[in-house]
Amino acid sequence: MLYTMILRNTKLFFKDKGMFFTALITPLVLLVLYVTFLGSVYANSFRSSIPEGIAVSDTIVNSMVAGELLSSLLAVCCITVAFCANMRMVQDKITGAQKDIAISPAKSHLISISYFISSALVTWIICFIALLAGLIYVHAVGYDMALSDVAWMILDIVMLVLFGTSLSSICNSFLSTQGQVSAVGTIVSAGYGFVCGAYMPISSFGDTLQKVLLFLPGTYGTSLIRNHTLHGVFEKLEAQQLPAELITGIREAVDCRLLFFEREVPLSMMYVILGTAVAVLTAGYVLIHILQEKKDR
């Protein structure tokens, strides 16, 4: 029954051409917009951080920019696409399909789990397509990433999609109209990229705002992806024997090195924070549906 419900939700998403193409095209459109508008900003910011007298090739600059753009794209899409994919839950409420499902042999907890799993599957498919497009782009600018870094990025995407799916599942549990769906989608699409440090590094914000954003799990998800997309670039900078203080400063400037109250957060702890957030949000989603089921009784 669970398999049938997951298959049903996934098929309905892909059959809805408007929703499917919106979710699929959004990452590609974002990639074009990032390259067009943010590329020069990232390049100028990187060049300005290099002291006079130290030469850095255009290849390294372009690789740095490409890595930042790819990490920004994936960090945003893993969340925004998850909200889009999870709208099936709300659409079933709007159309009345959820009432029909409720009188079927499927138990309520299986229905809730099926929405979660199908949303995660759809989001993974679209985000991995976005990853492939991004890897083609970074290769075109002359930056060939190591397979180990790509493997770590896949893990980052898996974790971030689970985070986005659990977060969207909780939010969508309280939505019941098309207007609410549109409002939440607009807010998430417009605001998440800023609060997670995808559009602009949080190091460029004020001290107070930086401290606030360091309490949000999405910040660490963005940093994880950025660390892995830029790992090869920092290896090239170290090969040029640049001062260690300069490389550390660049890592902080692009959020590859996060300081939580002056203490550096290691990558392993970032995974722990993100994994804990997924577990807590998923538990919250389960609790919400348990309470709703008792209320309906």
Side-chain angles (χ1 to χ4, degrees):
M1 184 61 69
L2 177 61
Y3 171 78
T4 301
M5 291 299 301
I6 293 172
L7 190 61
R8 175 256 181 193
N9 296 335
T10 305
K11 282 185 175 181
L12 285 178
F13 177 86
F14 287 109
K15 283 184 177 180
D16 188 340
K17 298 299 188 295
M19 185 177 295
F20 169 63
F21 283 112
T22 299
L24 182 61
I25 292 175
T26 296
L28 304 181
V29 171
L30 283 177
L31 179 60
V32 174
L33 292 177
Y34 285 176
V35 172
T36 304
F37 296 104
L38 289 180
S40 59
V41 174
Y42 287 163
N44 293 334
S45 176
F46 178 61
R47 287 192 174 97
S48 65
S49 65
I50 304 297
E52 295 183 4
I54 297 179
V56 176
S57 66
D58 289 339
T59 300
I60 293 181
V61 174
N62 292 335
S63 298
M64 173 68 75
V65 172
E68 284 190 76
L69 292 176
L70 178 57
S71 62
S72 298
L73 168 72
L74 295 175
V76 172
C77 289
C78 287
I79 308 302
T80 56
V81 174
F83 269 83
C84 182
N86 217 344
M87 290 303 175
R88 173 49 48 193
M89 181 195 307
V90 188
Q91 292 296 334
D92 284 347
K93 294 180 184 178
I94 297 173
T95 61
Q98 197 169 80
K99 294 182 179 179
D100 297 332
I101 297 174
I103 62 176
S104 70
K107 296 182 179 180
S108 59
H109 68 275
L110 291 181
I111 298 172
S112 302
I113 294 173
S114 69
Y115 286 129
F116 186 98
I117 296 178
S118 62
S119 299
L121 287 175
V122 168
T123 308
W124 278 326
I125 291 172
I126 295 176
C127 287
F128 286 137
I129 293 175
L131 173 62
L132 179 60
L135 292 176
I136 293 173
Y137 162 68
V138 298
H139 176 73
V141 301
Y143 178 28
D144 292 323
M145 299 179 62
L147 290 177
S148 58
D149 291 332
V150 175
W152 281 110
M153 287 171 61
I154 291 174
L155 176 60
D156 298 338
I157 291 173
V158 170
M159 294 290 294
L160 267 176
V161 168
L162 289 175
F163 172 66
T165 302
S166 57
L167 179 62
S168 63
S169 295
I170 290 180
C171 293
N172 291 350
S173 296
F174 300 100
L175 305 183
S176 58
T177 67
Q178 191 62 50
Q180 293 171 348
V181 170
S182 300
V184 170
T186 301
I187 293 172
V188 172
S189 299
Y192 181 78
F194 288 100
V195 299
C196 76
Y199 294 153
M200 297 298 293
I202 64 172
S203 59
S204 61
F205 299 151
D207 291 339
T208 302
L209 184 56
Q210 286 186 42
K211 291 178 181 178
V212 172
L213 295 180
L214 284 171
F215 283 95
L216 303 180
T219 302
Y220 299 98
T222 303
S223 182
L224 282 170
I225 294 183
R226 190 154 291 172
N227 267 282
H228 297 134
T229 57
L230 297 180
H231 180 254
V233 177
F234 286 115
E235 283 188 336
K236 292 180 180 179
L237 291 175
E238 292 171 356
Q240 291 190 350
Q241 297 183 344
L242 296 181
E245 296 80 5
L246 174 60
I247 296 177
T248 300
I250 295 174
R251 288 176 61 85
E252 290 184 8
V254 296
D255 292 345
C256 285
R257 185 172 183 264
L258 296 180
L259 299 176
F260 187 80
F261 291 96
E262 306 306 323
R263 297 186 64 179
E264 182 177 357
V265 182
L267 295 184
S268 58
M269 181 55 64
M270 294 184 189
Y271 279 114
V272 171
I273 293 171
L274 195 57
T276 302
V278 171
V280 171
L281 290 173
T282 303
Y285 173 64
V286 172
L287 179 61
I288 288 171
H289 281 272
I290 290 176
L291 295 176
Q292 286 182 347
E293 184 178 358
K294 289 183 178 180
K295 183 179 178 181
D296 293 338
R297 291 176 182 176

